[in-house]
Amino acid sequence: MKLILSSLILLSLCFTCVYNHTSNTENLGNGYYYLGDGSESQILLGKEKKNFGVTIVPQEVVKYNFDKNFIIAKSISNVDNKETELYWIIDKSEKDSIVGLDSLSFVKELKALNISMILSDRK
């Protein structure tokens, strides 16, 4: 009986540590938030306290930054052993204008929108 009880306690502690995937969140303003979870890290639009929402920038978000008007991000995906980088500019006032860009288009769009932020490593 002690062995079973000890095993259950140990198992409970392991799951508490291992499955705490939503502890790294950051409010980015206007309903957007960063949800950090290793290779599943992404930027969502929804309720941060509930840890769910619509995926705006798919995993894996490796860099991002934000101010009161915009969110910028870099994501990588690995499909068929080919890594693809996409860059994102999210205008917080226009929720339907989000598209992934290549690096050159991203830099041009930053200049056109007069955005001076730089990407920072994720948390």
Side-chain angles (χ1 to χ4, degrees):
M1 183 65 170
K2 286 184 180 181
L3 180 61
I4 293 173
L5 185 57
S6 296
S7 296
L8 287 174
I9 291 171
L10 182 61
L11 189 59
S12 172
L13 289 172
C14 288
F15 278 112
T16 302
C17 295
V18 173
Y19 285 109
N20 191 10
H21 293 289
T22 57
S23 64
N24 187 11
T25 61
E26 182 175 9
N27 184 341
L28 306 177
N30 295 47
Y32 293 94
Y33 67 98
Y34 168 78
L35 177 62
D37 189 12
S39 64
E40 296 294 318
S41 59
Q42 52 194 302
I43 293 176
L44 302 171
L45 176 60
K47 297 183 180 182
E48 177 185 1
K49 295 199 185 323
K50 301 281 186 190
N51 291 317
F52 71 88
V54 177
T55 299
I56 302 300
V57 178
Q59 72 268 4
E60 169 183 5
V61 173
V62 293
K63 294 184 177 215
Y64 69 98
N65 205 343
F66 65 100
D67 63 15
K68 66 180 184 174
N69 299 311
F70 294 97
I71 301 167
I72 60 173
K74 174 184 175 182
S75 67
I76 57 170
S77 62
N78 195 339
V79 178
D80 297 327
N81 293 325
K82 182 181 178 195
E83 190 173 277
T84 303
E85 295 180 350
L86 285 176
Y87 295 82
W88 307 81
I89 300 174
I90 301 158
D91 182 341
K92 293 181 189 179
S93 66
E94 297 181 27
K95 304 219 187 289
D96 61 349
S97 64
I98 302 158
V99 294
L101 304 166
D102 61 48
S103 60
L104 292 175
S105 298
F106 176 72
V107 170
K108 286 179 185 177
E109 195 65 21
L110 287 175
K111 287 180 183 176
L113 294 170
N114 199 27
I115 298 172
S116 60
M117 288 184 288
I118 59 170
L119 291 166
S120 299
D121 291 335
R122 67 181 182 198
K123 294 182 178 183

